[in-house]
């Protein structure tokens, strides 16, 4: 498992464990050595069950995002065609809509609509599979899939423009916003 995937899983689990430990300590604070009352045990189990459910949903969503990236990567080399949404040709938002749709995640059709649909995050919090929205004066004109940071560059996957194909590229400008389909932990 890549280091960043392990870190994502760990960072999703740690808050759940802390909340569970805090809840347990709150319910047992009154009597250090005494057994939990039946009511306290029910409350504790309900909290643990809820946190497991949340963790399961986060892991499931992360798997879908990972699958969407794999789908997009499998379409490297497919031609850019304005308005195309796959499977043999794509424009930028058609690639993201198609790829994440195959993974069971819905996205609107245009780059601007996708920007309005996702949760906005700081650029430094990007994870593989998050989206990068390029803008000019606030107008969203392009969307790409974040792949990784390497060698001082941010690498992305996108369908750039007419005459090109779906490809990996380093980012060419700092005029972009970050968005994610990930849930908050």
């Amino acid at each position: 498992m890549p280091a960043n995937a392990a870190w994502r899983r760990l960072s999703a689990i740690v808050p759940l464990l802390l909340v569970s430990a805090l809840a347990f300590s709150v319910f047992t604070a009154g009597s250090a050595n005494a057994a939990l009352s039946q009511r306290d045990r029910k409350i504790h189990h309900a909290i643990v069950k809820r946190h497991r459910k949340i963790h399961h949903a986060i892991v499931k969503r992360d798997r879908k995002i990972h699958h969407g990236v794999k789908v997009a990567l499998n379409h490297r080399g497919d031609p850019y065609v304005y308005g195309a949404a796959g499977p043999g040709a794509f424009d930028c938002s058609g690639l993201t809509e198609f790829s994440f749709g195959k993974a069971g995640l819905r996205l609107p059709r245009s780059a601007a609509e996708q920007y309005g649909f996702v949760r906005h995050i700081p650029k430094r919090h990007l994870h593989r599979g998050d989206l990068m929205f390029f803008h000019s004066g606030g107008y969203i004109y392009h969307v790409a899939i974040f792949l990784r940071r390497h060698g001082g560059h941010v690498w992305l996957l996108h369908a750039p423009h007419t005459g090109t194909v779906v490809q990996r590229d380093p980012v060419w400008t700092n005029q972009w916003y970050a968005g994610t389909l990930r849930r908050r932990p």
Side-chain angles (χ1 to χ4, degrees):
M1 176 176 1
N4 63 351
W7 178 250
R8 272 197 315 257
R9 287 199 176 148
L10 181 61
S11 65
I13 293 170
V14 169
L16 301 175
L17 293 174
L18 291 174
V19 169
S20 294
L22 177 64
F24 185 78
S25 66
V26 165
F27 294 124
T28 59
S31 55
N33 295 327
L36 289 174
S37 71
Q38 185 174 357
R39 180 178 168 271
D40 290 345
R41 278 195 302 274
K42 284 182 181 180
I43 293 170
H44 174 73
H45 288 297
I47 291 170
V48 170
K49 185 177 178 180
R50 172 78 175 134
H51 288 290
R52 283 184 184 150
K53 186 176 179 179
I54 291 169
H55 173 70
H56 177 70
I58 290 169
V59 169
K60 187 176 179 182
R61 173 68 58 118
D62 285 349
R63 285 184 185 144
K64 287 181 178 183
I65 291 169
H66 177 73
H67 181 69
V69 173
K70 285 174 59 176
V71 169
L73 285 167
N74 286 334
H75 286 280
R76 281 182 293 182
D78 287 357
Y80 175 96
V81 174
Y82 180 79
F90 299 93
D91 66 7
C92 64
S93 57
L95 176 66
T96 53
E97 178 193 33
F98 176 85
S99 301
F100 290 110
K102 287 291 183 184
L105 297 168
R106 188 187 78 74
L107 273 175
R109 177 61 182 95
S110 75
E113 289 172 329
Q114 290 177 9
Y115 178 70
F117 181 80
V118 301
R119 182 168 57 92
H120 304 160
I121 59 173
K123 292 178 182 181
R124 68 183 180 278
H125 292 168
L126 279 172
H127 291 247
R128 184 178 179 90
D130 287 340
L131 299 175
M132 302 169 66
F133 296 93
F134 294 84
H135 64 90
S136 175
Y139 168 76
I140 304 293
Y141 68 87
H142 187 63
V143 62
I145 300 170
F146 173 78
L147 295 176
R148 66 185 182 144
R149 288 182 170 85
H150 181 71
H153 297 287
V154 171
W155 288 87
L156 54 88
L157 180 72
H158 63 148
H161 52 78
T162 303
T164 62
V165 296
V166 174
Q167 61 194 33
R168 281 183 52 229
D169 280 317
V171 72
W172 60 91
T173 179
N174 62 3
Q175 298 280 21
W176 56 276
Y177 304 120
T180 186
L181 291 166
R182 290 178 284 121
R183 293 184 182 185
R184 293 174 206 242

